[in-house]
Amino acid sequence: LELPRLGPGPAIQLDTIDGPAVVNLWATWCAPCRREMPEFEQVHLERGDEVRFVGVNIGDREDAAAQFLDEVGVTFENFLDVDGELNEALRTATLPVTVVTGLDGSIVTVHSGPMEADELIAELDRALAGSASS
C-alpha cells in the first residue's frame, strides 16, 4: 500500500518501513486521537532516534488533516489514506489504531483505542527487546 505524504515529500510504501516503528492511524473527527497525539509527539521527541514514527490519517482531506496536526503540535511524518485501505488491511473498525513493529519490521502489536505515553513506551521497549505482546 502506497500512501501520499501529508505535506511536501515523497509517498511511502508501507511494506518498506524498517523497524522498529510506530504507525498511528488517526482522523480529525476522532476525539481520542486528538487526546493521544501530544503524548505520541512527546515519545517521538524522546525516542525518535531509536524508533521511526509514522502517522496515517484515515479519510480526511489534506487541508483538514494538516490543520489538525498544526493544532496538536505533531512533527513526526504523516501520510494520507483517503479510502481507509490500511484500516481495512488491519481489520480494525475503530480509531485510533497503533501498530508497533519490531527490529525486523514484523508487527509486534496492533492496539485499538487511545494509548498514553507510558503504554506506548512499554510497547516500544518490548519491540526493541524483540518480544511480542497483544
Side-chain angles (χ1 to χ4, degrees):
L1 179 61
E2 183 174 279
L3 300 175
R5 185 176 293 268
L6 182 54
I12 190 171
Q13 189 75 32
L14 289 177
D15 63 355
T16 64
I17 295 176
D18 293 328
V22 172
V23 180
N24 181 248
L25 286 64
W26 60 275
T28 60
W29 49 263
C30 168
C33 299
R34 181 174 294 273
R35 283 193 308 271
E36 81 174 0
M37 283 291 213
E39 302 225 13
F40 276 56
E41 178 66 12
Q42 173 193 335
V43 177
H44 163 67
L45 293 173
E46 294 171 5
R47 306 285 294 271
D49 57 335
E50 301 171 70
V51 179
R52 183 175 183 182
F53 280 74
V54 176
V56 178
N57 173 270
I58 306 294
D60 287 311
R61 293 184 335 266
E62 183 174 1
D63 58 339
Q67 181 179 353
F68 175 91
L69 292 175
D70 285 344
E71 287 173 12
V72 295
V74 169
T75 62
F76 54 86
E77 60 187 333
N78 274 269
F79 299 86
L80 290 169
D81 184 2
V82 176
D83 298 323
E85 292 178 78
L86 182 55
N87 229 18
E88 284 182 32
L90 292 170
R91 295 189 172 112
T92 58
T94 186
L95 290 175
V97 173
T98 302
V99 179
V100 179
T101 65
L103 295 167
D104 63 357
S106 63
I107 293 175
V108 173
T109 301
V110 177
H111 179 91
S112 293
M115 294 181 82
E116 294 183 6
D118 59 341
E119 294 173 296
L120 180 57
I121 290 168
E123 291 300 334
L124 290 177
D125 289 343
R126 277 192 278 281
L128 290 168
S131 64
S133 68
S134 55

